[in-house]
Amino acid sequence: MGEVDPAFIQDLEHRPKLEIIKAEGIPLIDLSVISSPNTNLDDSQALDGLVKEIGNACQNLGFFQVINHGVPLDKRQKIENASRQFFGQPLEEKRKVRRDERKVLGYYDTEHTKNVRDWKEVFDFAVKTPTIVPSSYEPDDREVTEWFNDQWPEYPRELREALEEYAKDVEKLAFKLLGLVALSLGLPENRFHGFFEDQTSFIRLNHYPPCPVPQLALGVGRHKDAGALTILAEDDVGGLEVKRKTDGEWIRVKPTPDAFIINIGDIIQVWSNDAYESVEHRVMVNSQRERFSIPFFFNPAHYTDVKPLEELTDEQNPVRYRPYNWGKFFVTRKRSNFKKLDVENIQIYHFRIPESELADKLEGALSIK
């Protein structure tokens, strides 16, 4: 990436500490009980302990790792190898499939998080093709557009096949995890599934080159994932850090071979009415080693109105969020990928009902009784 552009430099209060606090207590959850595609979650007594583990992890940390997840190792290795080959090419080759505001899928190397440039390069792939989204972030614009995976590099030729095969297997895992999250909230296993019929999910190939100033820059700045779930595959270099709820310290998640790192996103936080919380995280960079990772962002259909579920709210636990349209939220967030904004990008707290209003509702409910 050449000389260090000031656009990469984090503000003083957000610069990474080079001393590492290793994460203790990030759960490692065995999913062997649901590895079979024919498993019926509602009928299996063996799932009770697993559902409890998932619920505890979502409530306490928002992050966990899974093993025996059913995604074939050879599919993961195939996409990892193709990713390394693609990013190993000269920049001019990669930029032949560069994405822009019109073609939003493909290669990109100037993405911003919190209006600071990330020390990374990416390749984005839509899970469902075409993926239908709003044409613009303008609230009164009702037109939609279609995203296609139509930008493919000449090398490696197997990249497309590797991504398509990998997407199918990880999508199956995503639905299984979504069912477990639903059960942990006391809901039917398939309660969330209907929201994903026309999903806007995507897979990202991440490459973090060695950085000469790891004390000043970040691979990805602090953020919360906007979607429902994220399923992350990463190499053995490590770099993912999670902000601990108890004290606000950044702790490093140690990679586990052949495991996936799972985190709940903002949508689950809203659906659960804050029973589960989306947790802030970031990616450190390394001055000596490059790092590769592959997140699968599991997102609902663009026409989904995200709001707390009726089953999880009552007079004692009033609705904490106003509804928002996922498609508009999604394309609004995408804007910051292409240019630095003058204001903070849209967040779920913009839809949060003020505590004073919630207190009035609760007081009113208690007085009626």
Side-chain angles (χ1 to χ4, degrees), residues 314-341:
D314 54 31
E315 291 180 339
Q316 282 69 46
N317 183 29
V319 169
R320 296 178 178 273
Y321 295 91
R322 302 190 312 276
Y324 64 89
N325 174 261
W326 164 248
K328 290 295 186 182
F329 190 100
F330 186 39
V331 296
T332 301
R333 287 284 285 259
K334 280 283 187 182
R335 289 178 62 213
S336 69
N337 291 348
F338 300 103
K339 58 186 176 182
K340 185 173 181 178
L341 303 179

Side-chain angles (χ1 to χ4, degrees), residues 31 34 54 62-67 69-71 76 79-80 127 163 166-181 196 199 201-206 225-235 240 258-265 268 281 291-299:
L31 297 182
I34 62 165
I54 294 289
F63 271 79
F64 54 96
Q65 299 187 71
V66 295
I67 56 174
H69 39 67
V71 178
R76 177 165 167 172
I79 188 58
E80 287 174 344
V127 172
L163 270 169
Y166 181 77
K168 291 177 183 177
D169 286 302
V170 181
E171 182 185 23
K172 292 176 185 176
L173 173 60
F175 276 109
K176 291 288 188 181
L177 289 167
L178 197 67
L180 290 169
V181 171
F196 293 83
Q199 61 182 282
S201 306
F202 68 100
I203 292 176
R204 168 167 289 179
L205 307 180
N206 283 323
D225 291 349
L229 291 173
T230 302
I231 301 175
L232 177 72
E234 64 170 348
D235 61 17
L240 174 65
D258 194 30
F260 286 106
I261 299 171
I262 315 297
N263 65 280
I264 62 169
I268 294 290
H281 51 287
R291 175 179 180 263
F292 296 86
S293 71
I294 308 171
F296 177 107
F297 297 102
F298 198 35
N299 301 330

Side-chain angles (χ1 to χ4, degrees), residues 180-194:
L180 290 169
V181 171
L183 289 172
S184 73
L185 288 165
L187 302 168
E189 177 267 332
N190 63 354
R191 178 62 177 88
F192 299 126
H193 285 30

Side-chain angles (χ1 to χ4, degrees), residues 78-338:
K78 186 176 180 179
I79 188 58
E80 287 174 344
N81 291 337
S83 177
R84 288 178 179 272
Q85 291 172 4
F86 172 72
F87 287 120
Q89 296 181 100
L91 185 59
E92 58 267 24
E93 286 298 316
K94 292 178 284 191
R95 285 185 170 173
K96 289 179 180 178
V97 291
R98 193 174 191 266
R99 76 186 197 201
D100 55 35
E101 292 186 68
R102 187 175 60 86
K103 290 188 173 183
V104 301
L105 301 168
Y107 174 78
Y108 203 60
D109 61 348
T110 56
E111 192 161 273
H112 291 73
T113 302
K114 302 289 187 184
N115 284 328
V116 180
R117 188 173 168 186
D118 297 328
W119 190 273
K120 69 177 181 185
E121 51 183 350
V122 308
F123 185 93
D124 284 347
F125 167 87
V127 172
K128 186 178 180 66
T129 184
T131 291
I132 301 173
V133 298
S135 295
S136 79
Y137 60 89
E138 297 293 347
D140 295 330
D141 184 356
R142 300 302 177 188
E143 296 296 316
V144 296
T145 190
E146 296 178 333
W147 292 351
F148 292 91
N149 295 311
D150 54 4
Q151 295 204 105
W152 294 103
E154 294 182 15
Y155 177 85
R157 293 191 179 275
E158 62 269 23
L159 179 62
R160 181 172 189 167
E161 181 183 22
L163 270 169
E164 290 173 347
E165 291 178 352
Y166 181 77
K168 291 177 183 177
D169 286 302
V170 181
E171 182 185 23
K172 292 176 185 176
L173 173 60
F175 276 109
K176 291 288 188 181
L177 289 167
L178 197 67
L180 290 169
V181 171
L183 289 172
S184 73
L185 288 165
L187 302 168
E189 177 267 332
N190 63 354
R191 178 62 177 88
F192 299 126
H193 285 30
F195 296 121
F196 293 83
E197 189 170 328
D198 297 309
Q199 61 182 282
T200 55
S201 306
F202 68 100
I203 292 176
R204 168 167 289 179
L205 307 180
N206 283 323
H207 175 227
Y208 304 93
C211 177
V213 288
Q215 75 281 9
L216 300 178
L218 287 166
V220 183
R222 71 200 190 283
H223 68 285
K224 297 181 179 183
D225 291 349
L229 291 173
T230 302
I231 301 175
L232 177 72
E234 64 170 348
D235 61 17
D236 63 349
V237 175
L240 174 65
E241 292 193 333
V242 178
K243 192 171 187 178
R244 193 162 51 195
K245 292 183 184 181
T246 54
D247 57 9
E249 285 285 356
W250 290 101
I251 57 174
R252 179 73 57 91
V253 179
K254 182 180 179 181
T256 300
D258 194 30
F260 286 106
I261 299 171
I262 315 297
N263 65 280
I264 62 169
D266 289 344
I267 289 178
I268 294 290
Q269 178 170 332
V270 174
W271 279 340
S272 73
N273 204 39
D274 283 351
Y276 296 161
E277 183 182 350
S278 176
V279 176
E280 202 167 40
H281 51 287
R282 67 184 186 183
V283 176
M284 296 278 283
V285 284
N286 192 300
S287 61
Q288 303 296 323
R289 300 179 66 187
E290 61 183 345
R291 175 179 180 263
F292 296 86
S293 71
I294 308 171
F296 177 107
F297 297 102
F298 198 35
N299 301 330
H302 76 90
Y303 48 76
T304 303
D305 287 328
V306 181
K307 58 185 178 181
L309 300 182
E310 291 183 8
E311 305 97 301
L312 301 179
T313 61
D314 54 31
E315 291 180 339
Q316 282 69 46
N317 183 29
V319 169
R320 296 178 178 273
Y321 295 91
R322 302 190 312 276
Y324 64 89
N325 174 261
W326 164 248
K328 290 295 186 182
F329 190 100
F330 186 39
V331 296
T332 301
R333 287 284 285 259
K334 280 283 187 182
R335 289 178 62 213
S336 69
N337 291 348
F338 300 103

Side-chain angles (χ1 to χ4, degrees), residues 50-70:
L50 176 58
V51 169
K52 186 175 181 180
E53 280 189 275
I54 294 289
N56 287 339
C58 291
Q59 188 172 37
N60 297 328
L61 297 164
F63 271 79
F64 54 96
Q65 299 187 71
V66 295
I67 56 174
N68 297 321
H69 39 67

